[in-house]
Structures are given as structure tokens and as C-alpha cells.
Amino acid sequence: MKHLTEEDLVLLYYSEPEAPAHGQLHLRDCPECRGAAESLALTLNVCSEWVVPEPDAELGRSVWAQIAPQLEVQGGSHAKRHWARHLWGRPRPWLWVAPALLALLLGTFYLGRVSKRVESPVMAGLSNAARQRILAISLADHLDRAEMLLTEISNAGDSGAADISSARYRAQDMVDEGRLMRQSLAEQGDTATLALVDEVERFLLEMANSPDNANAAEVQSIRQRIDSGSLLFKVRIIESNLRTEGQKS
Amino acid sequence: MPQSEEITLSKVRGGDRDAFRALVDQHARTVFRLAYRMTGNETDAEDMVQETFLRAWKQIGKFDGRATFGTWLHRICTNCALDHLRLRQRRQAAQPAYHAGEDQSDPVALVAAESPSPERLAMSSQISAILGPALEELTEMERAAFILRHYEGMGIEEISVELGVQPGAAKHSVFRAVQKLRRVLEPAMANSR
Ligand SMILES: [Zn+2]
């Protein structure tokens, strides 16, 4: 009598159509193969005990908040399509890693200062120049994200009312982050950058407080203010300067 | 395909972000479950869910409606997983001194740390303490084929379509995966008895 192979047993376990037709019959009559099948089943059944942690009920929402700014415009002929493609066309995953790092760096930096200058060992070892470079890079990232947000709003209202909820959540996060930046800029006396960060923050606050489904007029009003103050342009200039500064060694 | 899904999809093809957002809401958790099995940890799984939907948005014009949207999304997620696992294996090959438990992407450490205490999860974390490293021994093709067969309940034929390989290759990936897992799990199970 020809015994079943391990492959036969795997196919039988999963009830694959390719499993040998005589398989079940053979298992009934052959203790050796039955033993092998039971041992295989035991191991595979153990694998089934591995359960996936229940995903967060808000998962869809958080996924949307992360991907919305990266979605390319498709179909139709948006007036700002080219610009949107330029911004969102390439995924920039580092942008979503940067805030965590930045919060960590700035958090330790400034909490250290206000709380009797007790700093983490990582930050304590840094020279002033190094700290300034970190701040410059963090600020550039902050402005980069602000720029994405402003552009998103700027593009949103083309067809009337828009769902700006994901932008709103991000704006909320960025308001807190911006506060740390402004504090440090004030200490350093960098008034030009400070004025811009202030101006950005006013938009962020306005965004953070706007309804999820802003009506066409509301979106239009925010857009006009972004366009008329050439805010995006200024953000890009300062951001680019900060990047250069951050790369100096 | 249900008519309502057909309507939503035609809106998405026209660039309707709200319609796409509804699809994200509807499918994110299902995609997460697959992504979690493929990667073995929540952080990578969440990144993969994002990547899956980004690719879906970009490729929506290629979706021909022969499968359901969920099936199509499943396939995209599997492809993301293959890319991710390839990258991870290359990274691990460059770091020979890999110790389970020290790396935050280690599924064992994460499941053990994050699982609440219900009995099923306690059992699961014991299982994954052995299964996690065992799965790391598989090639990306073997892992993907096994996850699809064992956890997603897909047949060999379907797996071959999803992975874009011949049915024979899909079948052998499942066999090799089972063999390797038995080699690691069975002695461990014998010891724990
Ligand atoms: Zn036999």
C-alpha cells in the first residue's frame, strides 16, 4: 500500500481540490498516515490560535487623515491639477515620521528649559549650533506640512462644498507644535520667521475650528485669504531657507 | 458587485474623494487584518493599510469590476506585503545579529506587550511567541502563500492569481511554509507539554 506524502496531507487538511481522491479512505485504514495527519493538524490548528488584535474602530478615519493629502487629483480638469500633482504625486512618508521625532526633540529641548534646564542626556550633549540646526529642520518640516495643508484647502473648494475634516485634525495637531516653535523663535529674536509662523498659526486655528463639511463660501473665504496674502509663497521661501540652514555643518 | 458599490466606484473614478473616503471607512479594518498577519506587527500593518489605499486610488482606472472591490483591494495589500517583506528581509540580511525581543518590529514582543488580558489573546500571545520567529524563517513568497491559505482561506488556485505566480509555485510555497513551520513549532510544542 502506497502511503500518503506530507504534501498529500497538507492538501487534504485544506480540502484542496487537488488532494488525492482516495485520501480520506486511506486515512481511515492506515494508522501510520492517520498519525501523521493528526500531527500535522495539531500544528496547523495551533497556528489558528494566533488572533489579530482588533483594529481601532477609528482606523478608517486615521488612515484617511494620513492619505488624504497624498491623493493625486484624478479625472476631470481641475484648474490646479498640475500643482496638486506636483505636490502630492510622490509619496512623502517621512513627513509623517517627522512630527514624532520633532515633538521628541523639541519636547525634551523646551521642557528641559522651563523645568530648571533638566535635559535628557541626548540633548544635553548638543552644542548650540547643533540645537539651532535641529530647530531649523523641525521648523522647515512644520512649514512643509503647513504648506501641504494650505494647498489642500486651496484646491478643495473648486467644486463647491468640501470635506476638510482630515485637514482640520492635522491643523489641530500643528497648532500645538507651532506653539513650541514660536516660543523658541521669540527667544532667538528671529522676528521674520516668527511673523510668518504667527500668520500660519492663525490659519491653522481657523481651520481647526471650522466645521467638517465647510460650505462653499467658507472654503472660498479661507482660500482667498491664503491667495491674497501670498502666504504659500512666503512659506515656501522661508522653508527653503531653513532647509539650507539645517544642512550647514 | 452590488449596485451601490458600482455607483461609489464610478464616483471614485471621476476623482470624488468623499466617495473614496467611504471605501476607506468600509474596508480599512479588513485590510488591516491581512496586513497584520503579513507583517506581524501593528505599526507596519497600519503603514501597509495606508499604502494599499494610496495604490488603490492611483490604480482605480485599472479596476475592471470583474472581482469585487474588496477582493481587488486584498490583492493590492498582498502586493504591498510582498514588497514590504522583501525589504525587511534585505534589511535583516544586512544586520546578521538579529535577536528576537530586542527589535520593536518583532511580532512576539509587540503582541506580548500590546495584548490585553482576555484568555484568547493570552493564548494567542503564547502562540505568537513561537509563531512569530517561525514565520520570520519563511521567504516572503512562502509567508504570503501560507497566510493566504491558512488565515484567509484562499485556495491554491486563487493564491496563484493573487501572487501572480503559477499554481505549482503557489502550492510549493505553501508546502515549504508548512514544513518550515513544523520544524520550528513541533519541538517547541513538545517542550511546552
Ligand atoms: Zn498510509
Side-chain angles (χ1 to χ4, degrees):
Chain A
M1 175 166 59
K2 196 167 169 266
H3 290 301
L4 297 169
T5 64
E6 189 185 26
E7 299 189 352
D8 291 335
L9 296 176
V10 171
L11 295 173
L12 282 166
Y13 178 87
Y14 289 122
S15 310
E16 281 287 343
E18 254 192 85
H22 65 287
Q24 293 300 346
L25 214 65
H26 182 93
L27 285 180
R28 202 187 62 195
D29 298 335
C30 174
E32 201 178 317
C33 287
R34 197 161 57 238
E38 281 166 5
S39 150
L40 171 74
L42 186 69
T43 307
L44 290 176
N45 291 347
V46 160
C47 292
S48 306
E49 291 299 322
W50 180 38
V51 294
V52 175
E54 197 42 35
D56 195 299
E58 296 290 294
L59 182 69
R61 189 166 156 171
S62 65
V63 168
W64 180 253
Q66 297 290 309
I67 67 169
Q70 298 177 61
L71 299 181
E72 270 181 67
V73 176
Q74 56 184 322
S77 57
H78 275 243
K80 298 189 178 171
R81 184 177 177 186
H82 174 74
W83 178 227
R85 185 178 292 275
H86 167 71
L87 267 175
W88 315 131
R90 59 212 154 99
R92 296 192 285 181
W94 56 269
L95 277 178
W96 309 106
V97 177
L101 181 71
L102 178 153
L104 183 76
L105 286 170
L106 282 176
T108 10
F109 189 11
Y110 292 102
L111 285 178
R113 272 171 169 236
V114 292
S115 59
K116 299 177 193 163
R117 295 178 184 271
V118 178
E119 290 171 336
S120 78
V122 180
M123 296 307 287
L126 292 179
S127 66
N128 271 341
R131 286 165 186 233
Q132 284 195 342
R133 277 203 305 279
I134 291 175
L135 178 67
I137 292 168
S138 305
L139 257 171
D141 285 352
H142 177 76
L143 290 178
D144 196 1
R145 268 172 293 119
E147 180 191 325
M148 289 171 74
L149 209 59
L150 294 172
T151 312
E152 193 179 332
I153 295 303
S154 203
N155 289 334
D158 281 357
S159 52
D163 181 354
I164 56 168
S165 55
S166 88
R168 194 165 70 81
Y169 298 127
R170 280 180 290 135
Q172 221 145 22
D173 288 344
M174 289 183 66
V175 168
D176 297 334
E177 194 180 282
R179 211 159 280 151
L180 286 169
M181 311 260 179
R182 281 164 53 239
Q183 188 185 328
S184 141
L185 286 167
E187 282 170 16
Q188 293 189 356
D190 185 347
T191 48
T193 314
L194 183 59
L196 177 77
V197 174
D198 274 342
E199 195 178 344
V200 168
E201 198 198 69
R202 282 196 293 278
F203 275 99
L204 292 176
L205 272 173
E206 194 177 328
M207 294 258 339
N209 295 323
S210 60
D212 267 2
N213 284 296
N215 64 35
E218 282 163 329
V219 174
Q220 188 65 18
S221 139
I222 301 180
R223 277 179 60 184
Q224 269 170 2
R225 289 188 46 208
I226 293 171
D227 292 346
S228 69
S230 49
L231 184 60
L232 267 173
F233 179 71
K234 286 189 278 185
V235 166
R236 279 181 208 127
I237 297 290
I238 299 247
E239 185 203 326
S240 143
N241 291 345
L242 286 165
R243 288 238 182 266
T244 317
E245 201 179 309
Q247 279 158 7
K248 279 184 210 153
S249 53
Chain B
M1 199 187 320
Q3 208 188 351
S4 60
E5 188 171 282
E6 188 53 71
I7 294 168
T8 308
L9 283 164
S10 73
K11 284 184 185 167
V12 174
R13 286 193 190 93
D16 184 332
R17 294 163 68 98
D18 287 342
F20 190 62
R21 185 182 183 167
L23 292 175
V24 172
D25 271 333
Q26 192 185 336
H27 295 278
R29 288 154 61 86
T30 314
V31 175
F32 173 86
R33 290 187 189 98
L34 173 63
Y36 182 85
R37 297 264 192 227
M38 291 286 191
T39 61
N41 74 75
E42 285 187 66
T43 313
D44 286 350
E46 280 170 18
D47 286 350
M48 199 167 296
V49 176
Q50 288 170 29
E51 180 61 26
T52 299
F53 282 107
L54 282 172
R55 287 193 196 181
W57 172 261
K58 274 191 204 138
Q59 298 170 11
I60 194 75
K62 293 185 195 158
F63 176 60
D64 56 15
R66 271 186 291 181
T68 64
F69 181 71
T71 305
W72 186 67
L73 212 53
H74 196 278
R75 198 168 304 161
I76 295 178
C77 180
T78 298
N79 280 311
C80 289
L82 285 176
D83 292 346
H84 171 88
L85 292 170
R86 255 174 228 133
L87 206 71
R88 191 158 84 183
Q89 269 168 3
R90 222 175 299 148
R91 241 184 272 139
Q92 277 170 11
Q95 288 179 319
Y98 169 75
H99 299 292
E102 286 176 18
D103 184 334
Q104 272 308 290
S105 68
D106 170 34
V108 180
L110 272 153
V111 171
E114 289 170 9
S115 294
S117 47
E119 275 166 40
R120 182 93 200 276
L121 280 184
M123 173 68 173
S124 170
S125 81
Q126 279 173 14
I127 299 300
S128 68
I130 325 171
L131 188 57
L135 285 168
E136 295 292 316
E137 297 291 312
L138 309 182
T139 67
E140 75 271 0
M141 222 15 130
E142 291 161 0
R143 181 174 183 138
F146 178 73
I147 301 290
L148 296 177
R149 176 58 271 190
H150 192 82
Y151 296 103
E152 301 290 306
M154 293 172 72
I156 302 281
E157 198 69 39
E158 285 175 283
I159 295 172
S160 74
V161 174
E162 180 130 336
L163 295 177
V165 297
Q166 293 296 318
K171 187 167 71 180
H172 283 101
S173 292
V174 173
F175 290 157
R176 276 195 303 272
V178 171
Q179 276 175 346
K180 287 185 184 177
L181 290 175
R182 293 186 80 182
R183 223 178 292 148
V184 179
L185 292 177
E186 285 173 10
M189 283 158 62
N191 287 341
S192 68
R193 259 177 237 145

